[in-house]
Amino acid sequence: MLSYILKRLLLMVPTLLGVLLLTFVVIQFVPGGPVEQYLAEAKTSATGSGGAEGGGLGYRGGQGVDPKRLEQIKALYGFDKPPAERFVQMLGQFATFDLGRSFFQNKDVWSLMLEKLPVSISLGLWTFFISYGVAVPLGVAKAVRAGSRFDLVTTLLVLVGYAIPGFVLGVALLVVFGGQLQWFPLRGLTSANWDELSLGAKVTDYLWHICLPVTAMVLGSFAVTAMLTKNAFLEEIRKQYVLTARAKGLSERQVLYGHVFRNALIPIITGFPAAFIGAFFTGSLLIETLFSLDGLGLLSYEAVIRRDYPVVLGTLYFFTLIGLLTKLISDLCYVWVDPRVKLD
C-alpha cells in the first residue's frame, strides 16, 4: 500500500508539470497580454476616449510609446525575461506554494482565493449534502420498487431534470421566482443590511439567497447519484448471497439493510471524495456569474479575460493538485470499503 501511494505521489509531479507547461505555452501566443492591456488603458485615459483605438487587444498597444517606458512596464510584469526563465522561476515558486501576485488586483493569489472560497464552500457543501442526502434514499426506493409506477415516474422526472443544463434552469428560476413572483433575490449571497441583522435573521437571509443557485447546481449531480444507487442495488439484489439470506428466513428489511445496503454503497462511498471536492471547484462558473456570486469560478474566469496570468496559473495549479490528491483518496477509499481490492 505504501509503495502504491508513493508511486502515485511521484506520478503527480510530471502531470502537474505537463498541465502547467501546456498552459504556459498557450499563454505566450494569446494576444492582448497584461502589457498591451495596460498600454491600451493608459492610452484611453490619456485621450479620454473609449473608442476602438484604445480598446483593442492586439499587439499595437506599444506603438508611439517611449521604448524606455515600455521596458519599465515589461519589467513590472516580469516580461523582460525569456519565457523559459519565467517558467522555471514560476515552478520554483509553486514548489514552495507561492502562487505569486495578481497583476491587476495587487494582492497575493492565495489571498484572492481565500476571499472567494466562502462562496464556493457554501455552494459546494449544500450541493453535495442535498445531492447525496436525497438521491441515495431515492435510488434505494427505486431499486426496491423496480418496474413499478413510482420507479417509472421518478425515472422520467430525474432524466428530464438531468437533461436541463444547470445554467438554463438557473435562468428559468431567476425569471419565475426572482423576477415574476419576486420570492427570492436576484443576486448575491446576503442582503445589503447583513451586518445589522440578528443571528436568526442572518441564517434566514443566507438560506433565502442560496436557495436558487443551489437548486440549479443540484439537479445534474442529483440525477446521476440516484440512478447509480438504483443500479448498484439492483445488481446486488440479484446475487446469490441475497437468495441465501432469504432462504435462511431473514426479513426483507434485514436482507436489504443488513447485506445489500453495505455492498451496494461501495461505488457511492468511494466517489465521496471526488464529489465533495468537485462540488467546490467544478460546474459553478456559470451559476456564480448568473447569480452574481463572487466565488472561485468567477475569479478564474475574470483572470482569463483580463490576462491576469499569476491568477490563471496559480488557480490552475491549485485545482490540478487538489484533483490529483482527490483521485488518490478515492482509490484508497475503495480499498478501505472493500478489502477484496488489492492495489498492489
Side-chain angles (χ1 to χ4, degrees):
M1 175 69 72
L2 182 59
S3 62
Y4 175 80
I5 296 176
L6 291 175
K7 289 178 182 178
R8 288 290 297 271
L9 291 175
L10 291 175
L11 285 173
M12 291 180 187
V13 177
T15 304
L16 279 172
L17 289 176
V19 171
L20 292 174
L21 177 60
L22 180 61
T23 307
F24 187 85
V25 170
V26 171
I27 283 176
Q28 306 309 306
F29 298 98
V30 175
V35 175
E36 287 71 32
Q37 292 204 18
Y38 179 89
L39 293 174
E41 291 176 3
K43 192 172 183 180
T44 301
S45 301
T47 58
S49 172
E53 187 181 21
L57 295 181
Y59 283 94
R60 297 173 297 172
Q63 293 180 353
V65 179
D66 182 30
K68 292 184 178 180
R69 177 58 177 165
L70 184 60
E71 292 300 324
Q72 290 176 353
I73 297 173
K74 289 183 177 180
L76 176 66
Y77 293 117
F79 289 99
D80 57 330
K81 302 175 183 177
E85 183 179 346
R86 286 189 280 119
F87 181 72
V88 173
Q89 181 181 358
M90 181 192 71
L91 292 181
Q93 292 177 341
F94 285 180
T96 59
F97 295 98
D98 178 10
L99 302 185
R101 194 172 186 85
S102 171
F103 285 157
F104 300 103
Q105 302 191 49
N106 197 27
K107 291 182 179 180
D108 292 334
V109 177
W110 277 118
S111 300
L112 288 173
M113 293 176 62
L114 290 177
E115 288 179 6
K116 315 299 182 183
L117 195 57
V119 174
S120 297
I121 288 179
S122 296
L123 292 175
L125 284 178
W126 284 111
T127 301
F128 175 79
F129 286 117
I130 292 177
S131 297
Y132 277 85
V134 177
V136 171
L138 177 62
V140 175
K142 288 172 61 62
V144 174
R145 301 172 177 83
S148 65
R149 179 177 297 178
F150 170 82
D151 181 32
L152 296 177
V153 172
T154 53
T155 299
L156 178 62
L157 294 177
V158 165
L159 293 180
V160 169
Y162 180 70
I164 301 175
F167 182 75
V168 175
L169 178 63
V171 172
L173 292 175
L174 274 179
V175 171
V176 176
F177 296 101
Q180 296 179 354
L181 300 178
Q182 297 184 354
W183 289 356
F184 296 95
L186 295 175
R187 57 182 299 161
L189 202 59
T190 56
S191 298
N193 61 337
W194 165 264
D195 295 331
E196 304 173 2
L197 301 176
S198 63
L199 179 59
K202 286 183 177 179
V203 173
T204 303
D205 182 75
Y206 165 75
L207 295 176
W208 184 46
H209 281 78
I210 205 71
C211 184
L212 292 185
V214 168
T215 301
M217 287 187 64
V218 158
L219 207 60
S221 57
F222 172 85
V224 172
T225 306
M227 299 306 296
L228 178 62
T229 304
K230 174 193 173 183
N231 294 333
F233 266 78
L234 287 178
E235 183 179 354
E236 292 296 324
I237 287 174
R238 299 189 182 101
K239 291 185 177 179
Q240 184 64 39
Y241 74 89
V242 176
L243 297 176
T244 304
R246 288 170 175 168
K248 290 181 178 180
L250 296 179
S251 65
E252 193 65 22
R253 185 181 184 84
Q254 290 176 319
V255 172
L256 182 62
Y257 293 102
H259 297 275
V260 176
F261 190 81
R262 179 175 56 187
N263 294 324
L265 282 185
I266 288 178
I268 309 297
I269 294 176
T270 53
F272 273 5
F276 186 75
I277 299 298
F280 295 151
F281 303 122
T282 60
S284 61
L285 168 59
L286 295 177
I287 300 300
E288 289 180 8
T289 304
L290 179 63
F291 290 92
S292 300
L293 302 175
D294 195 9
L296 289 175
L298 190 58
L299 172 67
S300 302
Y301 172 74
E302 291 178 346
V304 172
I305 296 299
R306 300 190 66 184
R307 309 295 194 268
D308 198 347
Y309 295 149
V311 178
V312 173
L313 292 168
T315 53
L316 177 68
Y317 170 75
F318 178 70
F319 293 161
T320 305
L321 183 60
I322 290 294
L324 293 173
L325 291 175
T326 302
K327 290 293 185 181
L328 175 59
I329 295 174
S330 298
D331 291 343
L332 297 179
C333 285
Y334 206 103
V335 177
W336 175 66
V337 173
D338 190 355
R340 296 171 297 178
V341 176
K342 302 296 182 182
L343 294 179
D344 294 338

